[in-house]
Amino acid sequence: MDSSAARPAPGDGRGRSPGRRPRAVFGSRSVAGQVLLLQLAVVVLLVLASLTALVLEARGATLQDARTARSSPPRPSPTRRERSRP
């Protein structure tokens, strides 16, 4: 029996040639894969930066509200006469 008939030919899609690893379409070796990973990293960094900015802004606003509420005395509620004035 011929042993070459039982083995698939290299490059026919059913097997791989010995000593070579299959390459992914967007693997880290290809330029397209590197660009994709770079774009994903930039998007993640932008999202993290925007979330950090929102948290810091909210924290600053809360601290400012707490300072102004503590330093100023409570305002009396308006009387009926003051409410009806234009």
Side-chain angles (χ1 to χ4, degrees):
M1 191 163 223
D2 188 16
S3 64
S4 64
R7 210 172 7 160
D12 68 351
R14 292 181 291 178
R16 61 179 201 209
S17 59
R20 288 195 50 131
R21 296 186 317 180
R23 288 181 65 176
V25 175
F26 290 111
S28 61
R29 289 186 184 182
S30 70
V31 175
Q34 291 175 357
V35 170
L36 178 67
L37 289 177
L38 180 64
Q39 288 177 342
L40 288 174
V42 168
V43 167
V44 168
L45 288 175
L46 285 173
V47 168
L48 288 175
S50 63
L51 288 175
T52 303
L54 285 173
V55 167
L56 291 176
E57 185 179 349
R59 183 178 175 200
T62 303
L63 289 175
Q64 184 66 29
D65 288 346
R67 285 186 190 126
T68 56
R70 187 175 58 180
S71 64
S72 63
R75 294 169 49 189
S77 61
T79 62
R80 284 188 186 178
R81 195 176 275 176
E82 290 173 347
R83 286 185 205 153
S84 62
R85 286 186 190 168

